[in-house]
C-alpha cells in the first residue's frame, strides 16, 4: 500500500506491511485503509522537505489483533462465495456459448472476432495504462467518441418501438403531452407499476426536449456515457485509476449492450441508479468511528433515495440489500474493531433496510396515489413472474398464454380488489401446474440448463434492434444479413469477460498471500462475488430474458479492472522488503 515516508514509525505497529511498493513513475499517495475503512488523518512533518503531508493513524487500536478464529471463519465464507461465483460463471460461459452456437457456424468468423476481441482488450489495457499517466479528460474524450458513434447510428437507422419499448415511449409521450393516465389507457400495465415509472422518468426529457422517440434514445446514450464515468469513480475508490479506466472502457464497448443502449430500454436507467447506489454504499462503508451523526444520516439518505429510484425501475434490486448485509457482516479486519462501532454501522444499514422493505410493501399504494391509478398488488406481479419463470414450454421466458390469463382477469373484473383476487388465484394455480409438469416429466436438469442459457444469451442486443426496426428502413436487409457476425462478436466478447473474470478470481483466491494488500483485495473480490451470486441465483427464480443479465456486467468489468490493476503493478512496481 502506498504510504508517505515518515521519519519515525509507531512502536506498536504490527509487521503486517511486510512489502512496500515503489512506482517507477512519481505519483501522489492515496490514504485508504486495507479494510475499506478510512484511517483517521493527521499531519506530520517530513524531515526531508519540511512540508506537511497526510499520515494515517488508526482510529482504532491497531495493535490489538482480531480474533484468528473469527477471521478464519469469515475467510471460509468469503472463499465459498468466490468459488460459487467461479462455478456459476463456468456454467454461464458454457450456457452463453451453447445458446448462440447456431449463429457461429462459420469458424473463420469465430477466429476473426476472437482476434478482434483480443485486440480490443489489449488496446483497452494499453490505453488505461497510458491514460493513467495523462489526463482524466482524455479518458472522458474516448467515452464521448463511443457515445458519438451511437448518435451517428441512430441518425441513420430508423427505429419503430414495439413491446415494452413502445409502452415506455407512448406513456411518456402521453404524460408529457398532458394526456391523463387512466385505467383504460394503461390497460394490463396496471399489473406492472415499474412500466409506468420508467415512462414517467422518460416524460421528463420529453417535456424539456421534445416527444420524438429519438429523445429517449439520446437519453440512454447519455446515461451509458455517464455509467462509464461512474464505473471509473467506483473503481478508482476501491482499486486505482488504471482499474477504473480499463473497466469503464470494456463496459462501454460490450457489443450487445452497445447496440441495446441505442434503444429506449429500462436497463441504462437501471444501471445508472444501481451504480449510484454502489457509490453511496462505498461512502457509507468508509465511515469511521469519528464520523459525525450528520455524515451517517447523509449516507442513510443517499442510499434510501437511490434505492427507491432503482426499485421503481427494477424491483429485483432488493437482492442487493442482502448482499450489503452479508458484506458488512463478513468483511475481514487485521485488527479488533470495537463492537460499538460495528453495531452503529449495522443499525444504520438496518434502518435503511427497514425503510426499503416498508417502501416495497406499500409501493403499489404509493404509486397508485402518485399516478391516480389503482395498481394491482405487487404480489400479483411477483406471482406472474414466478409463473412465467417456471414455464417448461418457454424455458422460463415470456409465455403468451400466461400473459393472456392476466389480461382476461383484468377485463373480466370490475374492481382492483377483484383483479387481485382472480389474478392471484390464477397465478398460484399456474405455478403449481408448472412445477408439477416439470417434476412429472423429470425435466428439472434440462429446464434449469435451458433457462440459464436463455438468461445468459448475448443475442439480446441484436434481437431487440431487429424487433424494433422500422419496416421501411433501407438498412434493415443488411442488418438482418449481419446477424451471424454481430451475435458471434457479442458472444465472443462476453466469453472473454467471463473467462478472464474466472481467471482473475481464481488466481487471487489461490495466491492471495502474494497479492499486494491481500486482505483488502479479497474483501473486494468477495463483495463482487456476492453481487454475481445474488443477481444470478435471484434472477433464475423468476422470468428470464437475455437483457436481464446486463446487471452482471458491473461486477464483471470491476473484476477485470482489478486484474488490470494487479497486472499493472507487476509491470510498474518494484517490490522491496523493508
Amino acid at each position: 500500500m502506498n504510504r508517505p515516508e515518515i521519519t519515525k514509525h509507531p512502536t506498536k505497529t504490527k509487521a503486517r506491511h511486510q512489502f512496500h511498493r515503489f512506482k517507477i513513475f512519481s505519483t501522489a499517495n492515496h490514504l485508504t485503509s486495507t479494510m475499506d475503512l478510512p484511517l483517521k488523518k493527521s499531519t506530520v512533518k517530513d524531515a526531508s522537505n519540511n512540508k506537511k503531508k497526510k499520515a494515517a493513524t488508526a482510529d482504532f487500536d491497531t495493535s490489538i489483533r482480531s480474533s484468528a478464529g473469527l477471521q478464519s471463519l469469515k475467510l471460509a465464507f468469503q472463499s465459498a462465495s468466490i468459488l460459487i461465483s467461479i462455478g456459476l460463471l463456468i456454467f454461464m460461459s458454457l450456457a452463453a456459448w451453447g445458446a448462440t452456437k447456431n449463429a457461429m457456424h462459420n469458424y473463420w468468423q469465430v477466429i476473426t472476432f476472437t482476434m478482434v476481441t483480443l485486440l480490443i482488450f489489449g488496446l483497452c489495457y494499453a490505453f488505461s495504462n497510458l491514460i493513467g499517466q495523462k489526463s482524466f479528460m482524455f479518458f472522458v474524450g474516448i467515452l464521448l467518441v463511443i457515445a458519438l458513434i451511437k448518435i451517428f447510428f441512430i441518425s441513420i437507422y430508423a427505429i419503430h418501438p414495439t413491446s415494452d419499448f413502445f409502452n415506455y415511449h407512448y406513456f411518456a409521450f402521453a404524460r408529457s403531452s398532458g394526456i391523463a393516465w387512466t385505467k383504460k389507457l394503461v390497460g394490463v400495465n396496471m399489473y406492472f407499476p415499474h412500466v409506468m415509472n420508467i415512462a414517467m422518468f422518460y416524460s421528463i426529457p420529453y417535456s424539456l426536449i421534445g416527444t420524438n422517440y429519438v429523445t429517449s434514445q439520446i437519453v440512454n446514450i447519455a446515461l451509458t456515457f455517464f455509467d462509464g464515468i461512474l464505473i471509473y469513480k467506483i473503481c478508482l475508490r476501491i482499486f486505482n485509476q488504471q482499474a477504473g479506466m480499463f473497466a469503464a472502457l470494456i463496459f462501454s464497448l460490450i457489443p450487445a449492450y452497445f447496440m441495446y443502449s441505442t434503444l429506449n430500454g429500462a436497463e441504462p436507467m437501471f444501471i445508472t441508479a444501481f451504480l449510484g447506489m454502489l457509490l453511496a454504499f462505498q461512502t457509507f462503508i468508509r465511515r469511521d468511528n469519528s464520523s459525525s451523526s450528520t455524515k451517517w444520516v447523509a449516507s442513510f439518505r443517499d442510499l434510501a433515495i437511490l434505492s427507491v429510484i432503482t426499485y421503481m425501475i427494477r424491483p429485483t434490486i432488493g437482492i442487493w440489500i442482502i448482499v450489503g448485509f452479508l458484506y458488512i457482516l463478513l468483511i475481514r479486519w487485521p485488527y479488533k474493531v470495537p463492537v460499538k462501532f460495528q453495531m452503529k454501522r449495522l443499525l444504520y444499514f438496518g434502518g435503511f433496510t427497514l425503510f426499503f422493505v416498508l417502501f416495497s410493501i406499500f409501493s403499489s399504494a404509493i404509486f397508485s396515489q402518485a399516478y391516480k391509478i389503482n395498481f394491482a398488488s405487487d404480489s400479483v406481479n411477483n406471482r406472474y413472474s414466478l409463473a412465467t419463470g417456471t414455464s417448461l414450454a418457454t424455458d422460463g421466458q415470456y409465455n403468451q398464454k400466461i400473459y393472456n390469463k392476466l389480461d382476461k382477469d383484468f377485463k373480466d373484473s370490475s374492481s382492483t380488489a377483484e383483479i387481485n383476487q382472480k389474478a392471484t388465484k390464477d397465478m398460484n394455480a399456474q405455478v403449481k401446474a408448472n412445477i408439477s409438469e416439470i417434476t412429472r416429466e423429470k425435466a428439472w436438469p434440462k429446464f434449469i440448463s435451458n433457462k440459464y442459457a436463455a438468461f445468459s444469451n448475448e443475442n439480446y442486443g441484436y434481437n431487440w434492434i431487429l424487433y424494433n426496426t422500422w419496416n421501411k428502413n433501407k438498412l434493415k436487409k443488411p442488418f438482418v444479413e449481419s446477424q451471424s457476425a454481430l451475435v458471434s462478436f457479442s458472444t465472443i466478447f462476453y466469453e472473454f469477460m467471463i473467462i478472464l473474470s474466472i481467471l482473475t478470481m481464481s488466481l487471487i483466491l489461490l495466491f492471495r498471500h502474494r497479492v499486494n494488500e491481500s486482505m483488502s483485495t479479497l474483501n473486494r473480490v468477495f463483495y463482487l462475488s456476492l453481487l454475481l451470486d445474488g443477481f444470478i441465483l435471484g434472477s433464475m427464480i423468476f422470468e428470464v430474458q437475455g437483457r436481464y443479465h446486463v446487471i452482471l456486467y458491473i461486477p464483471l468489468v470491476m473484476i477485470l479492472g482489478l486484474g488490470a490493476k494487479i497486472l499493472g503493478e507487476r509491470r510498474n512496481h518494484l517490490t522491496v522488503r523493508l
Side-chain angles (χ1 to χ4, degrees), residues 414-432:
S414 58
S415 66
T416 305
E418 187 178 357
I419 289 174
N420 288 334
Q421 183 180 3
K422 286 185 177 182
T424 299
K425 181 181 178 181
D426 286 344
M427 292 303 105
N428 284 341
Q430 186 66 56
V431 171
K432 291 180 181 179

Side-chain angles (χ1 to χ4, degrees), residues 503-519:
L503 289 174
T504 300
M505 289 193 293
S506 300
L507 291 175
I508 289 174
L509 185 61
L510 187 61
F511 300 104
R512 60 184 179 276
H513 297 298
R514 300 180 62 182
V515 176
N516 190 30
E517 300 177 359
S518 61
M519 190 177 287

Side-chain angles (χ1 to χ4, degrees), residues 55-72:
T57 59
D59 195 44
F60 306 124
D61 188 353
T62 57
S63 64
I64 303 177
R65 303 291 292 180
S66 181
S67 169
L70 179 60
Q71 296 308 312
S72 297

Side-chain angles (χ1 to χ4, degrees), residues 311-340:
Y311 179 86
M312 291 174 67
I313 303 168
R314 285 283 184 262
T316 51
I317 194 58
I319 294 169
W320 179 86
I321 307 297
I322 302 173
V323 169
F325 250 120
L326 289 175
Y327 180 66
I328 290 174
L329 289 173
L330 297 174
I331 189 172
R332 295 166 63 218
W333 310 89
Y335 47 82
K336 187 174 182 179
V337 178
V339 175
K340 184 178 179 181

Side-chain angles (χ1 to χ4, degrees), residues 99-117:
T100 55
K101 62 182 180 181
N102 291 333
M104 295 188 288
H105 49 79
N106 188 327
Y107 293 110
W108 285 111
Q109 183 174 269
V110 171
I111 293 172
T112 300
F113 283 119
T114 299
M115 298 303 294
V116 170
T117 303

Side-chain angles (χ1 to χ4, degrees), residues 149-166:
I149 294 173
K150 296 180 183 179
I151 296 290
F152 174 74
F153 173 76
I154 66 174
S155 69
I156 63 172
Y157 197 88
I159 293 292
H160 186 79
T162 60
S163 187
D164 290 343
F165 304 88
F166 172 78

Side-chain angles (χ1 to χ4, degrees), residues 483-498:
Q483 177 190 12
S484 177
L486 292 176
V487 172
S488 296
F489 185 32
S490 298
T491 303
I492 290 169
F493 196 97
Y494 189 50
E495 290 287 347
F496 263 72
M497 291 174 60
I498 293 175

Side-chain angles (χ1 to χ4, degrees), residues 10 52 66 105 120 161 224 303 346 354 393 484 509:
K52 287 186 177 182
S66 181
H105 49 79
I120 291 174
T224 308
L303 283 171
L346 276 172
L354 179 62
S484 177
L509 185 61

